[in-house]
Amino acid sequence: MVIENYDPLKGQMLQVLDAEGNLAQGFDGVLKNDDVLKLYQVMTLSRMTDKKALAMQRQGRLITYIPQSGQEAAAAASVYALTFEDWIVPAFREMAGWLLRGAKLKDVFLYLRGNEQGSKNMPKLRMTPLCVPIGSQIPHGVGISWAQKLKGENSITIVYFGDGATSEGEFHEAMNFGGVFKTPTIFFCMNNQWAISLPRSLQTSSKTLAQKAVAYGFPGVLVDGNDIFAVYLATKEAAERARQGKGPTMIEAYTYRQGPHTTADDPRKYRSTEEEEKWLCKDPVSRVRKFLEKRDLWDDKKQAALEAECDKIIEEAVAEAEKTSYIPEDIFKYHYAEMPQELQEQFEYFKSTLGGQHG
Amino acid sequence: MAKLTMVQALNQAMDQVLAKDKRALILGEDVGVDGGVFRVTDGLIKKYPNQVFDTPLSESAIVGASIGLAINGLKPIAEIQFMGFYLPAFNQIVAHLARYRNRTRGTVNLPVVIRIPCHGGIRALEHHSEATEALLAQIPGLTVVMPSTPYDAKGLLIASVNHGDPVMFLEPIKVYRSIKEEVPEEMYEVPIGKANIIQEGTDMTVITWGSYIKDVMEAVKDAPYSIELIDLRTISPLDNETILASAQKTGRVLIIQEAPKTCSISSELSSRIHEKCYLSLKAPVKRLTGYDITMPLPAGEELYLVNKPRIHRAMKELMEF
Ligand SMILES: Cc1ncc(C[n+]2csc(CCOP(=O)(O)OP(=O)(O)O)c2C)c(N)n1
Ligand SMILES: [Mg+2]
């Protein structure tokens, strides 16, 4: 029972796998070797996507990019603890989790190329589209899980948000709703220590973010967000509680945004390279690799093969996204089930402007 | 005289305001150490550590606290990071900021300036290219301003700080760094409520504002008509005098706006012109606006924004009515 045993008010943090890849005693079997391998694969894919995307953005092939590096463990292991029946409500920095759920990298690239088609397929995967207004997705997570409860389903919902989002009113209103209606919700906070240039210490005077749950009448737990075992354990347990009708749990994943906020951001304005280097030593991806190597489950050859495979997946996704053309008429078609007359007239004018020759 | 971008002109204006008036202060997300995501407040926290504040990520509290600061005698200049993100603060803006003077029958005025980068043409993510000035202009008690040049930006910002009542100060991102012009070093005001006649003409009046000014000016240059071009500069209250006089003079008006068409600033302009200049008009007012749709993501942005051929077509249709 990790949730009960780790008190966020005392600053206690669940960590099972240390930075050197050593597993604490008594936690063998939490994730089987195959599970760890699967997580390592998707985390590597996410990490390599970051590299590719940053290069593409510099070449003008993506409008912007939202780096994910450093948060792969929290994203992947939390989704891994759920079933496909459970809903995922993302913010925008949980790519490894989306990929585990089955989201297509092609769609991610489409979105980042500024094409709405990238948000089309997510709801079919019980996943809402990426959400830009900070914190505004949190009540949606409560509503989806409330519906699960009202409909008598056994499924639950996980909603992701950052440390910065905990300062928005919508976070507090949603947490309160969750507590009052005892919804099967996991409030998953990616505390990556920064909200653009604002450090976690200036975001709130609370010692931890997880402790905010206490005020809303349900448990919060602080976990090492760079530790797939800790994240998995806490999420699994929170999901069980939710399924048993015990209501929400908040999980604070203590992690780090290794890259800039977006490609438009320059971290040199507000944080030191020393801090960044310190966190690189706690890197979640290499931590899993160390674990695997210690158990003779991994070597350079396997790594090379995995990287080659990821490369191929990424290149295919990029190629598909780049050859997907934007459908001009689509900008009109989806605001109403039936186009109102005024809009219809505007649409006719719009069509007369396509091709450019008629102005 | 130094040639400045709009970003630099705004920065200089705030620098001078903070130096001159210790009651003035800046608050917002990333406005301090980072200097703002567009660097508009760059360096100010170093010079004025007691007047510049990085806030938590809380738009509602940024505006709500600004109201409190102003009630108690200070002069906040708050920044909202993008136009899509003032919405969490809309309750504070509509329910309180706009109403305090009337609610207290003139005893409490709120000298609050809310700076908001706005409009598209910058290939940004969803919610970063909004043009919702009409939402703000409909609220009684709010003054809504939108400069289109570095010179106007500095003068309007200083006028807004001195205005005494709440000003929604909308900054077209597309212009931030795309124009450089001479900006006087000293403090000066560009009057709120006064439109700017950029050029005089007799065939038609073209009215626009904000991020479209530059594109429209270019289209005007190439058009075979004598055009009177007006930059609104203040969106609320509208400068009836200038607008109506021009409409009366030319008898033809084309309004070009980025926002969707329905219930927009162009709707208001058009109805005022029809109501007050009916007998002078040679053609109904023509509107070239955004469509009544959500601003497309960048891959579709060009389909939404006006361009020179569309402007010329609208002018021709107006002339040939
Ligand atoms: C309501 C709102 N205000 C401001 C922004 C601009 N903005 C985008 S991301 C961000 C910081 C978010 O911090 P956090 O919640 O910690 O998420 P992270 O970026 O660290 O993943 C801000 C201020 C926004 N997107 N939405
Ligand atoms: Mg953060």
Side-chain angles (χ1 to χ4, degrees):
Chain A
M1 295 310 281
V2 296
I3 292 172
E4 270 171 27
N5 293 342
Y6 288 80
D7 184 352
L9 287 166
K10 296 196 180 118
Q12 292 169 330
M13 180 164 83
L14 172 68
Q15 188 199 64
V16 182
L17 185 69
D18 72 16
E20 296 314 311
N22 303 306
L23 192 64
Q25 274 203 335
F27 289 92
D28 264 312
V30 167
L31 286 166
K32 300 202 180 62
N33 289 342
D34 272 357
D35 299 324
V36 178
L37 282 167
K38 257 192 216 145
L39 285 167
Y40 184 63
Q41 283 162 2
V42 79
M43 290 164 69
T44 304
L45 179 58
S46 174
R47 177 64 58 95
M48 288 177 63
T49 301
D50 254 31
K51 279 211 192 93
K52 174 76 186 179
L54 287 168
M56 283 175 70
Q57 201 278 338
R58 277 192 293 272
Q59 296 158 356
R61 292 157 73 193
L62 299 179
I63 55 160
T64 189
Y65 186 67
I66 309 164
Q68 312 277 324
S69 289
Q71 300 178 220
E72 296 93 339
S78 55
V79 170
Y80 202 68
L82 305 177
T83 75
F84 189 72
E85 300 304 309
D86 298 328
W87 270 84
I88 298 173
V89 179
F92 46 64
R93 239 186 269 277
E94 314 85 10
M95 186 188 295
W98 318 331
L99 296 174
L100 263 182
R101 173 49 64 97
K104 295 270 177 294
L105 252 190
K106 171 199 166 188
D107 286 340
V108 176
F109 281 116
L110 270 181
Y111 179 83
L112 294 165
R113 287 171 58 76
N115 190 331
E116 289 85 348
Q117 290 178 74
S119 296
K120 225 169 88 174
N121 295 318
M122 287 162 178
K124 286 179 238 162
L125 301 167
R126 286 191 195 79
M127 191 181 142
T128 51
L130 311 198
C131 182
V132 173
I134 297 299
S136 57
Q137 77 282 14
I138 309 175
H140 307 168
V142 171
I144 292 170
S145 56
W146 195 7
Q148 288 167 320
K149 180 177 171 176
L150 293 173
K151 288 158 72 184
E153 292 169 359
N154 191 38
S155 54
I156 65 135
T157 299
I158 190 164
V159 51
Y160 293 91
F161 50 91
D163 45 302
T166 65
S167 293
E168 290 283 7
E170 281 155 315
F171 162 75
H172 295 273
E173 296 182 24
M175 291 275 282
N176 193 44
F177 253 57
V180 167
F181 295 109
K182 270 202 162 202
T183 54
T185 322
I186 301 176
F187 294 94
F188 195 99
C189 180
M190 285 272 193
N191 173 8
N192 63 6
Q193 313 303 329
W194 291 91
I196 310 188
S197 72
L198 200 73
R200 164 46 202 97
S201 59
L202 300 180
Q203 193 64 249
T204 167
S205 300
S206 301
K207 213 148 97 198
T208 67
L209 299 171
Q211 75 192 57
K212 290 180 188 284
V214 177
Y216 295 105
F218 54 85
V221 62
L222 173 62
V223 305
D224 180 346
N226 290 3
D227 168 355
I228 50 170
F229 286 84
V231 171
Y232 178 82
L233 259 179
T235 313
K236 190 92 187 155
E237 199 177 306
E240 280 319 305
R241 285 191 73 249
R243 280 185 230 287
Q244 289 161 10
K246 293 181 181 162
T249 306
M250 177 174 172
I251 298 173
E252 173 186 354
Y254 199 78
T255 179
Y256 194 69
R257 189 194 82 212
Q258 292 177 356
H261 172 69
T262 64
T263 38
D265 174 49
D266 173 17
R268 289 288 71 76
K269 288 281 281 186
Y270 53 82
R271 72 184 191 190
S272 67
T273 45
E274 291 81 63
E275 178 189 297
E276 290 174 358
E277 279 157 17
K278 193 190 87 189
W279 272 95
L280 280 182
C281 303
K282 306 184 199 176
D283 181 62
V285 183
S286 46
R287 190 183 299 197
V288 180
R289 181 172 175 177
K290 283 179 201 157
F291 169 87
L292 290 170
E293 281 172 349
K294 279 189 188 70
R295 309 210 159 189
D296 286 331
L297 294 165
W298 204 252
D299 55 33
D300 288 347
K301 216 174 116 199
K302 285 185 175 152
Q303 181 69 21
L306 173 61
E307 286 181 13
E309 195 192 318
C310 290
D311 252 337
K312 193 163 156 267
I313 295 171
I314 294 168
E315 289 305 331
E316 276 172 16
V318 168
E320 277 187 72
E322 290 193 326
K323 72 165 193 260
T324 304
S325 51
Y326 196 86
I327 306 166
E329 290 81 2
D330 275 5
I331 67 175
F332 277 84
K333 285 197 173 159
Y334 300 103
H335 288 75
Y336 301 91
E338 263 178 58
M339 220 184 270
Q341 194 187 338
E342 166 65 28
L343 193 55
Q344 185 70 45
E345 281 171 26
Q346 293 180 18
F347 188 38
E348 293 307 320
Y349 164 79
F350 170 74
K351 284 190 278 189
S352 80
T353 70
L354 289 179
Q357 61 276 57
H358 303 297
Chain B
M1 221 183 291
K3 284 198 162 188
L4 303 184
T5 62
M6 184 180 279
V7 165
Q8 293 166 327
L10 289 166
N11 184 281
Q12 190 180 78
M14 282 186 276
D15 192 343
Q16 293 171 342
V17 164
L18 294 189
K20 190 175 153 210
D21 189 346
K22 290 299 155 194
R23 291 169 305 168
L25 53 94
I26 289 173
L27 69 160
E29 293 155 15
D30 307 289
V31 297
V33 175
D34 199 40
V37 293
F38 293 105
R39 304 287 180 260
V40 177
T41 52
D42 206 18
L44 297 179
I45 198 170
K46 276 221 180 87
K47 283 175 94 168
Y48 311 99
N50 300 320
Q51 288 170 277
V52 180
F53 300 94
D54 273 317
T55 69
L57 215 173
S58 315
E59 289 78 12
S60 183
I62 290 170
V63 175
S66 293
I67 293 170
L69 288 160
I71 290 173
N72 206 3
L74 300 187
K75 295 169 107 178
I77 306 171
E79 177 180 300
I80 297 289
Q81 209 158 72
F82 285 89
M83 200 173 210
F85 307 136
Y86 74 76
L87 297 170
F90 206 47
N91 186 37
Q92 290 293 340
I93 293 169
V94 179
H96 298 300
L97 185 66
R99 292 179 180 228
Y100 240 89
R101 174 184 279 281
N102 181 60
R103 180 181 294 149
T104 61
R105 283 299 181 254
T107 44
V108 179
N109 62 316
L110 298 176
V112 175
V113 179
I114 313 236
R115 296 183 35 248
I116 310 178
C118 68
H119 284 193
I122 51 155
R123 300 179 60 72
L125 282 175
E126 196 180 355
H127 312 286
H128 291 70
S129 305
E130 308 293 291
T132 53
E133 56 267 28
L135 279 186
L136 299 168
Q138 223 216 6
I139 312 303
L142 286 186
T143 297
V144 185
V145 160
M146 195 185 307
S148 68
T149 66
Y151 178 90
D152 286 356
K154 180 175 175 183
L156 276 172
L157 186 57
I158 291 170
S160 298
V161 170
N162 295 337
H163 188 55
D165 284 318
V167 178
M168 306 302 292
F169 193 90
L170 311 180
E171 303 169 1
I173 301 167
K174 198 182 161 197
V175 187
Y176 264 162
R177 294 170 199 282
S178 65
I179 308 175
K180 266 193 165 189
E181 70 177 1
E182 293 193 341
V183 174
E185 170 68 28
E186 67 271 13
M187 289 178 92
Y188 62 93
E189 288 194 13
V190 167
I192 289 173
K194 283 305 290 173
N196 182 26
I197 301 177
I198 294 178
Q199 77 169 46
E200 297 194 14
T202 51
D203 288 337
M204 73 170 80
T205 301
V206 173
I207 305 176
T208 188
W209 57 95
S211 57
Y212 271 1
I213 290 285
K214 206 173 143 207
D215 293 336
V216 171
M217 273 168 78
E218 264 160 44
V220 163
K221 224 184 289 164
D222 300 352
Y225 316 111
S226 166
I227 294 171
E228 182 139 305
L229 178 58
I230 296 181
D231 174 3
L232 281 185
R233 283 201 303 211
T234 295
I235 285 164
S236 180
L238 286 168
D239 180 2
N240 278 2
E241 194 185 328
T242 305
I243 295 160
L244 299 177
S246 179
Q248 254 147 15
K249 180 172 111 183
T250 62
R252 296 186 190 89
V253 182
L254 170 63
I255 306 165
I256 307 178
Q257 94 183 356
E258 185 169 320
K261 188 170 197 175
T262 297
C263 297
S264 64
I265 305 300
S266 71
S267 319
E268 182 59 32
L269 285 165
S270 170
S271 63
R272 283 193 199 187
I273 293 165
H274 282 120
E275 282 161 10
K276 304 223 164 101
C277 311
Y278 182 66
L279 293 177
S280 316
L281 292 183
K282 299 176 184 128
V285 170
K286 189 156 185 73
R287 298 194 277 155
L288 182 59
T289 69
Y291 306 108
D292 289 343
I293 63 172
T294 304
M295 175 63 138
L297 292 185
E301 198 179 26
E302 292 299 323
L303 298 166
Y304 177 94
L305 298 172
V306 300
N307 51 31
K308 205 189 263 190
R310 284 176 59 200
I311 295 174
H312 283 166
R313 171 173 160 184
M315 288 173 171
K316 188 159 179 277
E317 285 169 0
L318 179 62
M319 284 306 289
E320 290 172 1
F321 176 80

